[in-house]
Amino acid sequence: MFALSQDPDRSFHRPPVPTALRDLVRPVVAAASRTLPVADSITSLLPRGVLRRGSVSVVTGAPGSGAVSLALALASEASAQGHWCGVVGISDPGATAMSEAGMDLRRVLFTAEPSKRWLDVTAELLDGVEILIVHVSASVPFSAARRLSARARERRAALIIVTEDRQYWPMPADLGLSIRSSVWMGIGRGDGHLRARRLELEVAARGEHLRLVSLWIPAQSGETLLAHGRGDA
Amino acid sequence: MAVVMLERTMVLWVPELSQGGGDVAALRSFAALLEIVLLRCPFVEPLRLGLMALPVRSVARFFGGELAVCELLRKDLAPLLDANQQSLRIGIADGCFAAVLAARSEALVAVGETTEFLATQAISCLHRSDIAELCLRLGITSLGAFAALDRDRVLERFGLDALHCHRVASGEEAMLEGVSDPQITMRLQRLQTPETGTTQAGFFGGTSARDERAHRIAIRLQGHFGVSSIQVALTQSGRDPMERAAFESFAAEEPTVFRDVAPWPARLPTPSPMTIFARPREVSVLDGSGEVLGIDAVGLLTGTPVTYKEANAYRDIAAWAGPWPLMGPWWRQRLRRNRLQILTTSGCAFLLSHEGQNWKLVGRYD
């Protein structure tokens, strides 16, 4: 009591912990908590088969080619397991389709539209959610991209960029998925209905060779499936 | 002028409910009344708190006349109304708006006499203060006198809304805009949504740390950028993907998840469009010779779709499916539509809706 009352300010003038020491005493995290769960069917797309926290993925595809569905396929398993997701800049999202894709809509935050301050909103949202899907429709300044990547790494959230043009995101990504072609099945000339879509992807994972992969999003069963040959939906 | 036959409509009005503050207790009491009427007539539709409408023709046939239906509903509802010290007024007329007015004076307007009945009503019934004020100054005090005005002059002086009022006053349109409360169905549905069940509790029950963190950030962002900046999606039952989801501002309490149990005939097959345009875009669907296509009387396309045109840009259609009709109840014209899926030659798939005479691009399969 007396010691405190003699020098009340003492506790507020703690010397800073040296950086080297801070790194040493940083708690060790288990491997499982460094990754986010993904559906089994798409693990082969991902570097080392995991969606790492703090990683940046870029999904490239023209509007209507399935880029949003592909980004959601990356996030859906984590969402279903109770992780929070954020969706920025996707105008007019179809919530029914998101729910069909496996997202738990109770834990998805949408920001209305990308205003001038979308960067601030996005950076701050990274504090609260574990997966953030950002639709980018114009070139992002390098400084902004760097700031977002750093924030994602710091907050241990997975950042998924959806864009029409890979050039819009000026930084290298841990995972790049570009949609080469998308073909719908099941619709005829006046009969049937849209059932399944086959995407041909170019997968560029950091430290791995460029690969071509075909994926059914959605498959006829409604899930995402890796295509191993032709017509095996 | 073409004679328009409006649907025979019965309106039930509980004045105590619509004059009250509109709190949850009133909503519950209204929902209970609605449940009872539903047992007799499945087509009953809430218009606003305390006011419901039902197409009476089929019910009257079944129970032996309109008076018999009135008696029956009064008997059914009496115990509940007496318990809550409420009164019930029933009116029948051709067209919903006339029936609402009839319910005020508890009138059963005979078939074909609705125009005469409407003509005697005061101009203030339209709930348009600008029109009423000017008309009263001109000595036009009744709907009949208003309906007698030249329609083109009314349009010139007051604009489109007055034209709509004029049609209603002349008994050509069934429902006046602004009488029904568009939120009422949603509010009643929310009341009925089961409170228990689907919420996943955290490890120790209640919310988990990660829920709390997300809530905190969402509320902080709402503080910085406005309440509507952070939204959540709600799902509910419905036929079309646009009906089945709604966005609303984030609120800290957990939204209840609607469990889809009932079958919905005429629901579109999955997958649903990943993009639902908030403002549907007007398009026209054309056949090979550039003829605009529509839907014929039996619900088929009037030709083979080859291209569609959106704001002077043409795109070729490679495949299509549908049209799938959706026949809503008569008093909700908007629900009467045909849905069509198209696939363009570039591989984009779209959902189109045909309402009235127009095609609209409502969704894209992203």
Side-chain angles (χ1 to χ4, degrees), chain B residues 45 182 236 239-240 242-244 280 326-339 353-356 360 362:
Chain B
E45 177 88 344
Q236 56 173 16
R239 295 180 183 85
D240 276 3
M242 38 285 195
E243 286 174 359
R244 286 167 59 192
L326 180 59
M327 296 308 250
W330 53 268
W331 60 94
R332 292 169 75 182
Q333 282 298 323
R334 211 180 57 74
L335 271 187
R336 294 197 161 196
R337 54 179 180 246
N338 283 278
R339 290 80 47 87
S353 171
H354 187 261
E355 292 166 30
K360 281 178 182 159
V362 291

Side-chain angles (χ1 to χ4, degrees), chain B residues 262-274:
Chain B
W264 281 84
R267 172 179 277 187
L268 283 179
T270 55
S272 302
M274 195 54 90

Side-chain angles (χ1 to χ4, degrees), chain B residues 70-144:
Chain B
C70 286
E71 287 306 309
L72 192 70
L73 288 178
R74 277 191 191 282
K75 216 171 82 191
D76 284 351
L77 296 172
L80 201 61
L81 290 169
D82 289 344
N84 296 335
Q85 293 180 333
Q86 290 160 341
S87 58
L88 176 69
R89 297 188 181 191
I90 300 182
I92 301 181
D94 301 345
C96 197
F97 177 65
V100 170
L101 295 183
R104 286 190 187 173
S105 47
E106 296 197 79
L108 305 188
V109 182
V111 179
E113 288 177 13
T114 298
T115 321
E116 289 79 36
F117 169 75
L118 277 176
T120 60
Q121 299 294 316
I123 188 93
S124 57
C125 293
L126 291 173
H127 298 290
R128 304 288 198 276
S129 56
D130 50 341
I131 298 176
E133 204 176 308
L134 190 66
C135 284
L136 285 176
R137 268 193 244 153
L138 292 171
I140 298 167
T141 55
S142 68
L143 286 185

Side-chain angles (χ1 to χ4, degrees), chain A residues 63-64 66 69 72 82-84 92 94-97 100 106-107 110-112 124-125 127-128 130 188-190 192-194 197, chain B residues 198-199 210-211 213-214 217 220-221 229-231 241 245 257 270-276 278 318-321 341 348 365-366:
Chain A
S69 300
L72 288 177
H83 296 268
W84 281 78
D92 309 332
T96 315
E100 282 165 12
R106 288 170 300 170
R107 296 197 183 79
F110 295 86
T111 59
E124 201 148 339
L125 208 50
D127 286 353
E130 285 140 301
R189 297 183 63 78
H193 65 87
L194 296 171
R197 174 170 49 191
Chain B
T198 53
T199 305
R210 90 169 43 114
D211 290 347
R213 189 170 73 140
I217 297 298
R220 195 164 83 200
L221 277 164
S229 63
I230 299 292
Q231 299 196 312
V257 168
T270 55
S272 302
M274 195 54 90
T275 300
I276 304 279
W320 74 95
Q341 284 178 338
C348 275
Y365 293 84
D366 259 317

